[in-house]
Amino acid sequence: MSMKDLERRIKTLEDMEEIKRLKARYCAYCDENYDPEGIAGLFTEDAVWDGGIRGRADGQQEIRDFFTQASQRLPFAIHMVMNPIIQVDGDQATGIWYLFQACTYAEGNRAVWGSGRYDEEYVRVDGEWKFRHLKLTSHFWTPFDEGWAKTRFS
């Protein structure tokens, strides 16, 4: 293996780790009462946050506005993401993650389990990875005491 090939492989691994840290910051901001400034800052100006049944926000300002209201709907959430599949191509990348989430719906003060899949696009802006497109496809959102076999969507 040439030194150039080795450097390219190391750069790809470093990029993948940076993207994992980006995702971890997103989850941490969500779990800290959906910090709208922190979350919006992880996205490009023209990004799309598409939560499917949860809603959609186009552009950094709409993302900020959407998450300003999020803690009123979900006053408690713990985002656990796993099984990342990240593909890096220069200054662009894609990622797939699975979500398992414990949360509380404000309406009825109801404990809920959630699961879904994130499909994401990233772009490097001024040396920093950002979300360009985030899509969440929900598998289930079910009351804690009923489970997904009894009530898949709540």
Side-chain angles (χ1 to χ4, degrees), residues 69-86:
Q69 305 299 318
S71 65
Q72 294 171 11
R73 293 183 307 273
L74 295 171
F76 170 78
I78 298 295
H79 291 66
M80 295 170 275
V81 293
M82 57 203 86
N83 303 347
I85 300 171
I86 300 169

Side-chain angles (χ1 to χ4, degrees), residues 66-131:
F66 178 86
F67 283 102
T68 297
Q69 305 299 318
S71 65
Q72 294 171 11
R73 293 183 307 273
L74 295 171
F76 170 78
I78 298 295
H79 291 66
M80 295 170 275
V81 293
M82 57 203 86
N83 303 347
I85 300 171
I86 300 169
Q87 301 284 329
V88 177
D89 184 12
D91 288 337
Q92 299 182 45
T94 59
I96 296 170
W97 302 78
Y98 285 88
L99 168 69
F100 188 66
Q101 180 174 323
C103 60
T104 302
Y105 283 1
E107 185 178 328
N109 193 34
R110 191 160 206 188
V112 173
W113 290 117
S115 175
R117 174 179 152 157
Y118 286 107
D119 289 273
E120 300 171 340
E121 296 174 13
Y122 318 99
V123 63
R124 191 186 337 252
V125 177
D126 297 327
E128 182 180 2
W129 286 102
K130 298 215 177 231
F131 292 100

Side-chain angles (χ1 to χ4, degrees), residues 36-63:
E37 291 301 322
I39 293 169
L42 302 176
F43 288 80
T44 62
E45 286 291 329
D46 61 346
V48 172
W49 183 92
D50 183 355
I53 63 174
R54 300 275 172 240
R56 179 182 166 117
D58 294 297
Q60 200 177 52
Q61 185 58 51
E62 278 189 26
I63 292 168

